[in-house]
Amino acid sequence: EAVDLLNAGCTLVYVVPHERVLTGAVPTIDGFLKIARFNTTTLAQACKEFYDLQEEPIVPNEAWVTQVAPADLLINSAVKGDPIPHIRAAVRQRLSEHICTDSMPLESLIGLNTVRDWAEALIDDICDALNPSIRCQWSQIERAVVFSGPCGAGKTSLSRAIARATGLNWCRVSVRRWVAALESERWEPTTERRAAFIAMEDDFDAARVLAPAVLFIEDMEHLPDELAPMLGQLIGQITPSGEDPLFIIGATSDDEK
């Protein structure tokens, strides 16, 4: 099994003899397995082996494929026939709070004017990047924007419409949470890692686990002007790197911020 895991893309495997566990010789086992994400090819191969199929099933070029976890195959181990619809359903149920299928589609949103053209072009670019047959790189796509407008203007709805049209996961975080963490401690300019920085990193790390995804950052007008290190950390997080499929949409109700 360890060899199979390595062949599947694991970089670290910890194997502890069974008798050592029984005798209490290993009171604590701390191991990490880094498994490559599935794509259409590797998921088809895994299904053929796991379900003992005669042929590889057809896996669609959709964003949910990269979110498949081993548990999604295991809970459907008794499935007969094509397992792909069952795996898709398991992934969507597990990630239901991040899926925007019930959101308003882009064509139903009003008052967008030229923003609609921008959103449609972005959706086309994302769909091209999700399709392996089209050689479009994530690095070629605009991946950080800010929506500005009064409360109720539709900033959240537009971000969810983009996620719905592309099939990406949608995550929402608030600057207020970072500021609250910051205010919970006395600010010391020389301290490199404070509660606010950790809270910010945690939110971005959680979004990257769900990538490809849209990360919607609301209340950006509450970023404190006097805390330059916090602003620098945010800029570092939202600056796209390489093929990182995370689309950051900031939202502010203050045009001057």
Side-chain angles (χ1 to χ4, degrees), residues 232-254:
Q233 171 114 345
L234 177 60
I235 292 172
Q237 288 282 4
I238 67 176
T239 301
S241 59
E243 296 301 303
D244 186 9
L246 186 64
F247 300 86
I248 305 203
I249 299 179
T252 177
S253 58
D254 186 347

Side-chain angles (χ1 to χ4, degrees), residues 182 185-192 194 197 229:
L182 176 70
E185 298 181 347
R186 183 172 63 86
W187 173 249
E188 299 177 10
T190 58
T191 302
E192 294 183 359
R194 304 297 291 173
F197 297 140

Side-chain angles (χ1 to χ4, degrees), residues 74-146:
L74 289 172
I75 63 175
N76 291 295
S77 58
V79 165
K80 303 299 182 183
D82 186 0
I84 297 302
H86 301 276
I87 296 173
R88 182 197 297 118
V91 173
R92 288 181 173 174
Q93 181 178 3
R94 179 162 51 82
L95 302 178
S96 58
E97 65 177 300
H98 302 291
I99 295 176
C100 297
T101 52
D102 60 344
S103 301
M104 291 183 64
L106 182 64
E107 55 268 22
S108 297
L109 300 181
I110 60 175
L112 296 181
N113 300 323
T114 57
V115 175
R116 186 186 306 277
D117 296 333
W118 168 84
E120 289 175 345
L122 176 62
I123 289 169
D124 288 342
D125 288 342
I126 294 174
C127 290
D128 286 346
L130 288 170
N131 188 344
S133 65
I134 300 177
R135 296 186 177 180
C136 176
Q137 303 296 318
W138 294 109
S139 57
Q140 298 174 298
I141 301 175
E142 182 178 29
R143 286 174 286 170
V145 298
V146 175

